[in-house]
Amino acid sequence: KFKNEIHRNNMISHDEILNKNTEINGILEDLQLTLQSLNYRNKDIKSILPILDKKAYEFTKKGENISFENLLKLAMNYLDNDISKIVS
């Protein structure tokens, strides 16, 4: 009985992770479109998407909520800092 309970708990957390991944993927797609509309270069956007994905996963792992706004702010900070290094 105990093993069955553990297995059910693992299944629930696995389902939650899948739901979070779907949510994260949706947010990342929205971020990409938003950054494109803000005239960031596609090359730059594609270079930060893996970073944002990793950060979103870390937030999820810690039990923190992931929001479009927080990830957008993070993305813009990365992009602006990288652009300022190139210009300097």
Side-chain angles (χ1 to χ4, degrees):
K1 183 177 180 179
F2 185 67
K3 285 183 182 181
N4 288 339
E5 211 169 295
I6 290 173
H7 182 66
R8 271 189 247 139
N9 287 339
N10 287 339
M11 292 295 288
I12 291 169
S13 63
H14 180 69
D15 289 344
E16 288 175 20
I17 289 170
L18 288 177
N19 288 338
K20 285 291 183 183
N21 285 340
T22 303
E23 179 184 349
I24 291 168
N25 289 338
I27 291 172
L28 290 177
E29 288 174 13
D30 291 344
L31 279 173
Q32 187 172 4
L33 291 172
T34 302
L35 292 170
Q36 287 171 341
S37 71
L38 293 171
N39 294 324
Y40 286 101
R41 295 184 319 174
N42 284 333
K43 180 182 173 185
D44 295 334
I45 295 169
K46 288 182 181 181
S47 71
I48 65 156
L49 287 177
I51 296 169
L52 296 175
D53 188 35
K54 183 178 178 183
K55 289 289 186 182
Y57 178 74
E58 289 173 5
F59 291 146
T60 302
K61 211 172 167 184
K62 292 178 186 176
E64 298 176 16
N65 288 332
I66 304 163
S67 72
F68 173 82
E69 292 80 11
N70 288 340
L71 288 178
L72 178 61
K73 199 183 324 185
L74 187 63
M76 292 174 70
N77 283 335
Y78 277 115
L79 289 168
D80 291 341
N81 286 336
D82 285 343
I83 291 170
S84 68
K85 288 178 186 174
I86 294 170
V87 173
S88 300

